[in-house]
Structures are given as C-alpha cells and as structure tokens.
C-alpha cells in the first residue's frame, strides 16, 4: 500500500520538478518568489491532479486479476503451505 501512495505522490510532484528544471535551465532564479506566481502554481497543481487521476485510473484498470477469475486462497497441503493463486 505504501508503494502505491509513494508512487502517486511522485506522480503529483512531476510537474513541479519539470518547472523547477525549466527555471534552472533558463537561470531564472529557482528560489525567487517571483518565479513561482500563483497562476503558475495553480496550473501546476491542476496538471499534477490530472496526472494523479490518470495514474489511479490506470492502476485500477490494468492491475489485479482478470474479471472472471477465481481466487484460491493460501492453504496447507501435505503439511506445506501453498500460496494463493488466481484461476
């Protein structure tokens, strides 16, 4: 679960990192407040939210088992633990 959360946080930070790289490349003053006007930050937040939503939709759509599969839970056979499988 923590991996999914950290992945989404990383996806959220991508637009800010790209803009910071742009500021660094153009030598516009990365840590100057005038380089981060509220309109730019709002657009970055909007882009970040779109990326996070797309990531969550992709995660829900492409992960997990097939729609009609059956899960056989982990069980013990002949004294050995057999892991769960999707069938």
């Amino acid at each position: 679960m923590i991996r999914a959360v950290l992945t989404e946080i990383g996806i959220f930070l991508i637009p800010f990192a790209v803009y910071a790289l742009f500021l660094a490349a153009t030598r516009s003053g990365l840590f100057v407040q005038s380089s981060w006007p509220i309109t730019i930050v709002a657009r970055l937040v909007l882009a970040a939210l779109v990326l996070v939503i797309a990531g969550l939709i992709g995660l829900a759509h492409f992960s997990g088992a097939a729609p009609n599969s059956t899960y056989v839970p982990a069980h013990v056979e002949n004294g050995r633990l057999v892991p769960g499988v999707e069938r």
Side-chain angles (χ1 to χ4, degrees):
M1 182 68 185
I2 191 73
R3 183 178 68 184
V5 171
L6 290 177
T7 300
E8 294 302 324
I9 290 172
I11 289 173
F12 183 83
L13 294 176
I14 288 172
F16 298 98
V18 170
Y19 184 64
L21 287 173
F22 169 75
L23 288 177
T26 59
R27 301 175 191 254
S28 298
L30 180 61
F31 298 109
V32 179
Q33 188 175 1
S34 63
S35 295
W36 297 86
I38 193 70
T39 56
I40 296 294
V41 173
R43 289 178 184 167
L44 291 172
V45 168
L46 182 62
L49 289 175
V50 168
L51 286 175
V52 168
I53 290 169
L56 289 173
I57 290 171
L59 179 69
H61 185 66
F62 294 112
S63 67
N68 295 324
S69 66
T70 303
Y71 176 70
V72 178
H75 57 281
V76 176
E77 285 183 7
N78 300 327
R80 295 186 58 156
L81 179 64
V82 178
V85 294
E86 301 285 337
R87 293 187 185 180

